[in-house]
Amino acid sequence: MKEIVSGNFNIADIAESGQCFRLTPLGRGEYRTVANGRVLTVSHSDAGARLDCDDADYEGLWSEYFDMGTDYSAFSADIPKEDVFLTKAAEFGKGIRILRQDPWEMLVSFIISQRKSIPAIRSSIEQLCDRYGMEIAAGIHAFPTPQALAKLPLERLNACSLGYRSEYVSAASRMVDGGALDLGAIGKLGDEELMGALLSVRGVGVKVAGCVMLFGYHRLAAFPRDVWINRIIDSEYGGSFDAEPYKGYAGVIQQYMFYYARSTAHRPLSFVKACDDRI
DNA sequence: AAGCAGGGGACGT
DNA sequence: ACGTCCCCTGCT
């Protein structure tokens, strides 16, 4: 058991921020994540969060995964007070951290995400993992390897509700498995070049590539624009938002905007009220 | 039960 | 730059 004392670590905020699909609520404020070929249970504590792991695993594995080396309070401190929306959004989402997730898992997950709602994305990914991922604990499976997916006939992928995305996932798997796309090597490229390399994958456009950069390669300058972000830019910023002032951590700003907008829109009134109470 | 909102990219022009 | 097609899931 490892307790993390930080005002900038809230596992519920992280789970709802749209960056991960395998961090799931177990009830009673507990969450389970599957990453690094391991399973981890995380719960709230008064001071921050409680991780169900020992010191060695924390130091060797989870500290990195939860990006504990980054000071998130510094980001919100930089937001100008005149930007009322962003100031509120950052306060609301202050428990968000950008997880350091696996590039391969992010690539496939965000290819699948296109034209799907978050519950639908989660469902597809769970089916893929349950059927083709290695069992790492009772009933819990790791994300499938490129090799495992590369050899599947399209019908197997279709059966996981991938729809027209099956061909994209299959092709990407074969690219990575065959060495045509080296996810480790492109991680050494600069932001522009990395974007270019990701865009060369069929089924990957600017938005998906941005998500892979931000969540799989921890390129905090990436600012993926999805329908929620565009909606905010329209309603709060008159149709154009300049992420330039936040260069270096625009992706963190994106997360605050996304999480705040989704939490206040189309939710039960009780939830919205609870949100207001926190500000 | 049935109707409907939700969600990016490829490709052709 | 813009229009069209892809076509199913989860929620109400």
Side-chain angles (χ1 to χ4, degrees), chain A residues 17 36 87 95 100 118 157 159 168 246 260:
Chain A
S17 64
N36 298 316
T87 301
R100 292 183 186 259
I118 288 175
L157 294 170
Y168 300 155
Y246 305 107
Y260 184 60

Side-chain angles (χ1 to χ4, degrees), chain A residues 47-277:
Chain A
R50 200 169 280 126
L51 277 52
D52 183 23
C53 66
D54 59 26
D55 285 349
D57 275 352
Y58 176 73
E59 297 302 335
L61 220 55
W62 300 112
S63 161
E64 165 90 358
Y65 178 74
F66 286 107
D67 196 28
M68 296 312 293
T70 301
D71 175 16
Y72 282 79
S73 66
F75 298 140
S76 44
D78 269 0
I79 296 169
K81 289 284 162 285
E82 307 87 74
D83 192 333
V84 175
F85 177 82
L86 201 43
T87 301
K88 277 201 293 189
E91 173 60 23
F92 181 76
K94 67 183 174 198
I96 294 175
R97 315 185 68 80
I98 311 285
L99 303 179
R100 292 183 186 259
Q101 302 183 79
D102 176 58
W104 164 245
E105 179 172 342
M106 292 300 100
L107 178 64
V108 174
S109 296
F110 283 98
I111 286 175
I112 291 173
S113 78
Q114 61 186 259
R115 286 191 77 82
K116 269 182 181 288
S117 61
I118 288 175
I121 301 164
R122 285 179 180 271
S123 161
S124 284
I125 291 174
E126 271 332 287
Q127 290 180 65
L128 274 181
C129 293
D130 286 347
R131 294 173 196 177
Y132 307 111
M134 192 176 74
E135 187 168 31
I136 52 177
I140 300 174
H141 300 254
F143 196 84
T145 61
Q147 299 87 310
L149 296 187
K151 65 185 181 200
L152 293 178
L154 285 180
E155 307 84 70
R156 297 273 134 200
L157 294 170
N158 284 328
C160 298
S161 307
L162 298 200
Y164 65 89
R165 307 161 197 81
S166 290
E167 294 172 40
Y168 300 155
V169 170
S170 182
S173 303
R174 283 180 272 113
M175 276 177 82
V176 174
D177 185 37
L181 178 65
D182 185 336
L183 294 177
I186 67 174
K188 296 184 171 49
L189 299 173
D191 286 357
E192 296 271 316
E193 293 75 20
L194 175 57
M195 172 64 84
L198 292 169
L199 290 176
S200 74
V201 181
R202 234 180 106 83
V204 176
V206 172
K207 189 271 176 183
V208 168
C211 289
V212 177
M213 287 179 68
L214 181 56
F215 306 128
Y217 289 99
H218 209 74
R219 301 300 174 97
L220 297 187
F223 189 83
R225 295 165 191 255
D226 68 344
V227 287
W228 289 92
I229 297 297
N230 287 330
R231 219 171 271 164
I232 294 161
I233 291 174
D234 283 344
S235 64
E236 306 289 331
Y237 296 94
S240 78
F241 177 81
D242 183 14
E244 203 62 22
Y246 305 107
K247 203 163 184 62
Y249 60 98
V252 180
I253 298 297
Q254 189 266 12
Q255 286 283 279
Y256 293 149
M257 293 167 93
F258 180 90
Y259 179 55
Y260 184 60
R262 278 183 59 89
S263 301
T264 50
H266 83 176
R267 295 281 166 122
L269 212 59
S270 56
F271 185 89
V272 176
K273 241 180 98 59
C275 297
D276 289 342
D277 289 346

